[in-house]
Amino acid sequence: ITEKERSLTFPIAYIGLSQIINWGALYYSLALIGPKIIAEMHWSEVFVYSGFSISAILAGLLAPITGRIIDQIGGRVIMSLGSLIGAGGLLLLSTMSSTLEYIFAWMIIGVSMSMSLYDSAFATIARIAGSNTRRAISSITLLAGFSSTLTWPATAYLLSFSDWRSVIIFYSIIMASICVPLLFFGLKDRSTALIDPASQSSSLQRNEPNVTRVEIAEVILVKIMVLLGFIAAAQGFISNSISVHVITLFQELGLGANGAIFIGSLIGPAQVGARLIELVFGKQIHPIKLGLITIAVFPISFFFPVMFPSFTVTGIIFGLAYGASNGLFTIVLSMIPYSLFGSRGYGQKLGSIAAPTLLVKAVAPALFGALLTLLGPHFSLSILFFISLLICFAMLKLAKLVKNFSSISVI
């Protein structure tokens, strides 16, 4: 391990811990708190979960702006302020008593999401890590992968002796007291290392020859970004649909409650396991090539339950293959723009890709739920299989585009 890699240990740990807490508080906790809100407020399930959709839409709209600001000033202030805003949004949510207050609280949380979750974290660490960005991002996603594993049992435990409002206040306090100082003081004087464009260019020339040697015409850059946006949005539709409906889906396919829960429980460990393997062995694999491998597993994961829906073994194959592919995709999506274009404008590029993705993710659970009701589980799963094939074709097109119009060998 190099001295540079050792110096990244604490920034990675600080950002990784903040991702565990922020994802848990702002994203995963709603799965258990949502039903409690429905029961207390007597609102419809659609309305309660639409609050989260609104926050995701707002986060998507703000993502390019947030990324551009991080490119200019670094992520220390943005991420710590985002955590503080998130804590405030949760506090508002815990005290709301009307539909207007409820929606407003989720809008505040949406602003926080754009400033404190993955895209901001990746843009921040890229400015700090330089040529070690890929390893740093892999490490952060590995840590963040434990968020749901920790949040769901913790939330269930807290709800066993307290009400949902107190649990939300607890998460608000955790964000404000841990994430804010951790990011603000822990990343101090680190995120400005690459702020000077001239020094940034020379640094990239020296440390990232494959990046700076490639001069991609503006029209090609646009095509690449459009393809990346489509791939990310399509994959986001699948991942958010599965994350919400996986248990119901496999129950309706005939596996029973216990079998469906078991399949769902495989996704998390497969996701973390794939990220760990990539961290240890994947350094020499170009992100485009890793993307081809990752995306190729996607339709395979859906093929078996589509063809053999009622067998537990096909569900196990799905849980492991889908989880591994989904886990690696986060790394692939963050590293392809960096490998092609370097650090300059990286945050804004991530934000531009994230914007349509978050919009699609916001509507995915409701849309796929409607498909399940109208068309049944088998046909709905077949639609996801078809979308996964489209993602494969788009990834092949992207690889061909990069290979033909750059000096990077990707295959």
Side-chain angles (χ1 to χ4, degrees):
I1 184 170
T2 66
E3 182 63 32
K4 175 64 175 177
E5 289 173 328
R6 276 195 294 270
S7 71
L8 291 173
T9 300
F10 286 109
I12 289 171
Y14 298 150
I15 295 175
L17 180 57
S18 76
Q19 291 302 287
I20 292 174
I21 295 172
N22 288 344
W23 276 103
L26 302 176
Y27 191 91
Y28 292 116
S29 63
L30 183 64
L32 295 177
I33 290 172
K36 303 294 183 181
I37 298 175
I38 293 170
E40 179 184 318
M41 304 303 295
H42 304 291
W43 292 336
S44 70
E45 181 177 340
V46 171
F47 175 75
V48 168
Y49 290 105
S50 70
F52 177 81
S53 297
I54 289 171
S55 69
I57 291 171
L58 187 57
L61 294 174
L62 292 175
I65 300 172
T66 303
R68 185 165 62 248
I69 294 173
I70 292 177
D71 287 335
Q72 294 170 351
I73 67 171
R76 169 186 166 233
V77 173
I78 294 298
M79 290 197 70
S80 54
L81 182 60
S83 296
L84 186 61
I85 291 173
L90 291 177
L91 195 60
L92 285 174
L93 186 62
S94 71
T95 59
M96 65 85 192
S97 58
S98 68
T99 56
L100 186 62
E101 292 172 337
Y102 181 77
I103 295 300
F104 181 68
W106 276 109
M107 291 177 69
I108 299 298
I109 291 172
V111 174
S112 172
M113 286 179 173
S114 74
M115 300 169 70
S116 64
L117 296 183
Y118 267 157
D119 294 307
S120 292
F122 297 158
T124 298
I125 198 64
R127 291 172 57 86
I128 302 171
S131 59
N132 293 301
T133 293
R134 176 170 176 172
R135 183 178 181 85
I137 287 178
S138 296
S139 299
I140 288 171
T141 59
L142 180 64
L143 292 171
F146 291 102
S147 183
S148 61
T149 305
L150 297 173
T151 300
W152 285 333
T155 304
Y157 173 72
L158 292 170
L159 288 173
S160 68
F161 61 85
S162 184
D163 63 6
W164 70 268
R165 293 180 186 270
S166 299
V167 174
I168 288 292
I169 292 173
F170 171 77
Y171 283 135
S172 173
I173 293 171
I174 292 295
M175 286 187 69
S177 62
I178 295 180
C179 294
V180 175
L182 198 67
L183 294 167
F184 188 78
F185 296 108
L187 301 182
K188 188 176 182 180
D189 296 329
R190 294 179 181 272
S191 60
T192 57
L194 299 177
I195 197 168
D196 176 55
S199 64
Q200 182 186 49
S201 178
S202 63
S203 172
L204 288 172
Q205 192 87 29
R206 181 174 61 255
N207 295 324
E208 300 172 38
N210 283 342
V211 174
T212 54
R213 245 187 253 139
V214 182
E215 294 183 0
I216 302 177
E218 192 66 28
V219 63
I220 304 304
L221 185 149
V222 171
K223 288 181 179 179
I224 289 174
M225 292 299 291
V226 168
L227 277 172
L228 282 171
F230 170 78
I231 292 168
Q235 196 275 345
F237 178 85
I238 292 176
S239 65
N240 261 30
S241 298
I242 290 296
S243 65
V244 173
H245 296 290
V246 61
I247 307 300
T248 303
L249 177 64
F250 279 94
Q251 274 187 281
E252 293 187 10
L253 286 172
L255 296 186
N258 291 335
I261 291 172
F262 174 68
I263 290 165
S265 70
L266 294 175
I267 295 174
Q271 180 171 281
V272 173
R275 287 173 177 172
L276 181 60
I277 292 171
E278 192 279 334
L279 179 63
V280 175
F281 301 106
K283 187 176 182 179
Q284 302 304 318
I285 304 176
H286 190 277
I288 290 287
K289 190 170 184 178
L290 181 63
L292 288 169
I293 297 170
T294 299
I295 296 304
V297 178
F298 233 49
I300 293 173
S301 67
F302 288 102
F303 174 79
F304 288 96
V306 166
M307 297 302 296
F308 313 101
S310 61
F311 293 94
T312 302
V313 66
T314 63
I316 293 173
I317 293 172
F318 169 82
L320 294 176
Y322 169 81
S325 180
N326 197 51
L328 289 176
F329 184 81
T330 302
I331 299 171
V332 168
L333 185 63
S334 64
M335 283 311 302
I336 287 178
Y338 188 87
S339 68
L340 295 177
F341 311 122
S343 300
R344 192 188 297 271
Y346 176 62
Q348 186 174 2
K349 288 183 176 68
L350 280 184
S352 299
I353 295 170
T357 304
L358 289 169
L359 296 177
V360 170
K361 281 186 171 183
V363 302
L367 182 56
F368 188 72
L371 290 175
L372 273 175
T373 301
L374 294 174
L375 305 176
H378 189 268
F379 196 80
S380 299
L381 194 63
S382 299
I383 291 175
L384 296 187
F385 173 64
F386 175 73
I387 294 174
S388 71
L389 289 176
L390 290 180
I391 296 173
C392 284
F393 290 133
M395 193 68 203
L396 286 169
K397 176 66 175 177
L398 178 65
K400 183 178 179 180
L401 199 62
V402 172
K403 186 177 181 180
N404 289 343
F405 293 96
S406 76
S407 63
I408 299 178
S409 177
V410 298
I411 300 178

